[in-house]
Amino acid sequence: MPIQPTAALNAHLPVPALAAEGVIGLIAPAGPAALDTEKAHQWMRSRGYSLRIFPGVGLQEGYLAGSDEARLKDLHEAFADTDIDAILCLRGGYGSPRLLDKIDFDLLRRNPKPFVGYSDITALHLAINRYAGFVSFHGPMLNADLLGDKQAPTEASFFNLLRGQARAGSLLPHPVAFPLTTIEPGIALGSLLGGNLSLIASTLGTPYEINTDGIILFIEDVNEPLYRIDRLLNHLRLAGKLENLRGVLVGDMAGVDFAALCALLKQTFEPLRIPVLAGWRSGHCDPNLTLPMGALVRLDAGARELTLAQDVVFK
């Protein structure tokens, strides 16, 4: 269990890069999903990697991929195994928050490596960044994204960040086919942190709640009507989580009218006088671009650019 969060907000450390011919571990810390294991192994082999599927991937207990104990065991063993070069999640759904107070963060700190997922996995990103202190990756999962024939930028963004092809000073590319929208112009430098808006709100009042002081907040969600997004943002506001933000990056809000969303975003964030950029293709969308959680970034909302201000992996 955690005792104290890492002291410096922008001190999130880079993790070892995903090396060529490395081993990627697959775990299911949240919900279950049927997996075509041969297709999964073949996909990884064709990219030059080996896939190690942990036992919990084949389990199911209702809406969970096995018991809390089984899912936690896979998480711990994937980090502890020195042969595993990166950890990929099978899917989201629900279940990650049930593990938070059982995680051995000392073990994670001793064995940092790329950890990738989104949606319900947001709970693990927040905990890892707060109590283990290294960069993690809000990015594609195996079933729906990498094996789901999503557009090429999904895979390219994933490998560019994990392999270290994007370095400090690199502009994170965004497909021109999906124009970005400036809600509030301006430039901000801060640690990028967040993920699924519903999961962020669900951690408030717990030891795992997001620390928003000086960060650039990233939010995304799916199948939440506009009034519920309003309620979630207002929850963050009333909890004091918007007061000290440096900027906001809004990912995909699948199922919401974009014009109405932009109006709500402007109403929410305009009084804060911080840069806000909307429409970033990350989350429950195609393509689904990878973002480094906990990494120092530079957001230029007017120019519609996001730039790495630190290396997120090292070789």
Side-chain angles (χ1 to χ4, degrees):
M1 291 178 62
I3 303 300
Q4 293 293 332
T6 50
L9 183 65
N10 290 331
H12 297 95
L13 300 173
V15 293
L18 176 60
E21 301 182 354
V23 179
I24 296 177
L26 179 67
I27 65 172
L35 176 67
D36 184 334
T37 56
E38 180 53 39
K39 181 179 180 181
H41 282 292
Q42 183 178 6
W43 192 95
M44 286 296 176
R45 284 195 299 267
S46 69
R47 274 81 178 166
Y49 296 97
S50 299
L51 181 68
R52 182 175 300 173
I53 301 175
F54 280 77
V57 170
L59 300 179
Q60 180 171 357
E61 289 192 8
Y63 47 77
L64 299 172
S67 67
D68 291 348
E69 292 74 20
R71 290 179 289 113
L72 182 69
K73 184 173 185 287
D74 283 357
L75 176 70
H76 283 158
E77 290 187 356
F79 270 103
D81 191 332
T82 56
D83 291 332
I84 300 294
D85 298 294
I87 302 170
L88 186 61
C89 294
L90 176 68
R91 62 157 293 187
Y94 174 72
S96 299
R98 294 170 60 113
L99 306 181
L100 297 184
D101 60 341
K102 306 173 183 71
I103 295 174
D104 182 347
F105 290 101
D106 287 335
L107 183 151
L108 270 58
R109 276 193 294 269
R110 294 194 302 269
N111 301 277
K113 60 189 67 175
F115 175 80
V116 191
Y118 68 103
S119 193
D120 189 71
I121 309 303
T122 294
L124 296 175
H125 287 306
L126 296 179
I128 287 170
N129 281 275
R130 187 174 179 91
Y131 291 108
F134 56 79
V135 171
S136 61
F137 297 89
H138 183 281
M141 293 184 283
L142 188 63
N143 244 31
D145 299 281
L146 298 179
L147 299 183
D149 297 324
K150 289 201 171 180
Q151 297 179 46
T154 298
E155 182 180 339
S157 174
F158 170 78
F159 282 121
N160 283 346
L161 279 172
L162 268 64
R163 290 169 174 164
Q165 292 159 313
R167 305 294 300 274
S170 297
L171 190 70
L172 292 180
H174 194 271
V176 295
F178 301 95
L180 296 165
T181 299
T182 300
I183 305 298
E184 291 293 323
I187 298 174
L189 182 69
S191 182
L192 182 67
L193 193 57
N196 183 265
L197 180 58
S198 298
L199 267 292
I200 294 170
S202 75
T203 64
L204 296 184
T206 77
Y208 310 95
E209 69 178 11
I210 189 170
N211 182 350
T212 56
D213 290 345
I215 74 165
I216 294 173
L217 176 66
F218 168 69
I219 54 174
E220 67 83 34
D221 221 314
V222 59
N223 295 330
E224 295 287 359
L226 190 66
Y227 79 90
R228 290 176 65 175
I229 294 174
D230 188 348
R231 183 171 65 195
L232 291 164
L233 290 173
N234 193 55
H235 189 180
L236 294 183
R237 182 183 69 85
L238 293 174
K241 294 298 182 180
L242 305 185
E243 294 174 0
N244 297 316
L245 295 178
R246 292 186 180 175
V248 180
L249 179 67
V250 182
D252 190 67
M253 294 287 185
V256 176
D257 178 78
F258 188 67
L261 174 65
C262 288
L264 173 62
L265 294 171
K266 188 167 185 66
Q267 181 186 55
T268 302
F269 294 111
E270 185 177 36
L272 303 180
R273 301 181 181 275
I274 57 174
V276 181
L277 183 64
W280 195 270
R281 300 293 289 183
S282 188
H284 299 75
C285 54
D286 184 11
N288 179 11
L289 306 179
T290 300
L291 289 169
M293 296 292 97
L296 195 64
V297 299
R298 180 180 184 272
L299 173 67
D300 187 335
R304 301 170 187 173
E305 293 178 348
L306 186 68
T307 305
L308 289 179
Q310 69 165 88
D311 289 342
V312 296
V313 299
F314 63 87
K315 298 181 179 181

